[in-house]
Amino acid sequence: DTGVSQNPRHKITKRGQNVTFRCDPISEHNRLYWYRQTLGQGPEFLTYFQNEAQLEKSRLLSDRFSAERPKGSFSTLEIQRTEQGDSAMYLCASSLGSGKGSDGYTFGSGTRLTVV
Amino acid sequence: GENVEQHPSTLSVQEGDSAVIKCTYSDSASNYFPWYKQELGKRPQLIIDIRSNVGEKKDQRIAVTLNKTAKHFSLHITETQPEDSAVYFCAASWPNDYKLSFGAGTTVTVRA
């Protein structure tokens, strides 16, 4: 499978702990996105990278959240001091953007975070 | 940001019938409208998309129509099959923007 890969698939953590998720996009894709999805809702935008540059962060992304994409390849999303409200599916997506504006994403299978 | 509303939230159809899902958006500047299908426990998958310079697009049993004046776009699935059962999400994006604003989703159940 040469699609978008996310690890781990599931993560259960205690409130207050730090967690880190990894996303490996499709290799030739220059754009990478993080979204959060809660039950019964559509995905909500968190942040976006073009190559290694983080170009936009949602107001949903508090100071406890940080994302990186070193060398423009894989990306990590870290949540510090997790809270129960952070429980959600964290989706990564990538796309091959050749111009301005959005294009079709390929999503990964997500990391389901449960904070107990 | 863009506000996208999706209706209905659930839709049950008899196999072979058509299904229609409608989304409205708030910003007339939005110019890109994709549809994603998400089966239970799986990733959202892009099934069709349309840009604002086109009024309709078809791909086999799936079609999307766009009404820019009314600011709504619809997904049409004809000759539904059990494998069409899934949650469908619409989304919209502004020009020169890369993020998508998603609707809340429609759970489609195709009855055999």
Side-chain angles (χ1 to χ4, degrees), chain B residues 28-91:
Chain B
S28 57
S30 293
N31 70 339
Y32 176 64
F33 308 94
W35 285 89
Y36 287 83
K37 174 184 180 182
Q38 188 174 29
E39 296 178 63
L40 191 62
K42 296 190 176 181
R43 68 190 73 192
Q45 289 190 300
L46 178 68
I47 55 172
I48 196 167
D49 57 8
I50 192 168
R51 295 195 181 272
S52 59
N53 58 346
V54 175
E56 182 175 359
K57 185 176 180 181
K58 286 185 179 180
D59 183 2
Q60 299 183 340
R61 296 186 297 107
I62 293 173
V64 57
T65 57
L66 172 64
N67 183 327
K68 289 188 290 183
T69 302
K71 294 188 287 186
H72 67 71
F73 56 110
S74 299
L75 179 71
H76 305 255
I77 307 173
T78 58
E79 300 172 16
T80 53
Q81 300 169 4
E83 53 264 38
D84 294 329
S85 296
V87 181
Y88 292 81
F89 293 98
C90 63

Side-chain angles (χ1 to χ4, degrees), chain A residues 4-73:
Chain A
V4 178
S5 177
Q6 290 189 246
N7 289 288
R9 292 293 305 274
H10 304 275
K11 179 71 177 180
I12 300 174
T13 190
K14 292 183 178 179
R15 185 165 52 93
Q17 298 293 306
N18 299 342
V19 294
T20 299
F21 310 141
R22 177 179 171 125
C23 172
D24 288 272
I26 293 172
S27 58
E28 61 266 29
H29 284 184
N30 60 341
R31 295 179 181 172
L32 187 146
Y33 315 82
W34 285 97
Y35 281 76
R36 181 170 66 188
Q37 186 177 26
T38 53
L39 196 63
Q41 297 298 316
E44 293 177 296
F45 172 77
L46 293 179
T47 190
Y48 155 68
F49 290 85
Q50 178 141 329
N51 299 312
E52 67 276 8
Q54 187 175 20
L55 297 187
E56 188 171 350
K57 289 173 59 174
S58 165
R59 283 170 292 181
L60 291 175
L61 221 61
S62 74
D63 291 343
R64 298 184 296 106
F65 288 71
S66 61
E68 294 182 342
R69 192 183 183 197
K71 303 178 182 178
S73 55

Side-chain angles (χ1 to χ4, degrees), chain A residues 35 56 102 104-105 107 109, chain B residues 32 43 51 97-100:
Chain A
Y35 281 76
E56 188 171 350
S102 190
Y105 295 177
F107 276 96
S109 295
Chain B
Y32 176 64
R43 68 190 73 192
R51 295 195 181 272
D97 197 2
Y98 306 101
K99 62 182 179 290
L100 295 175

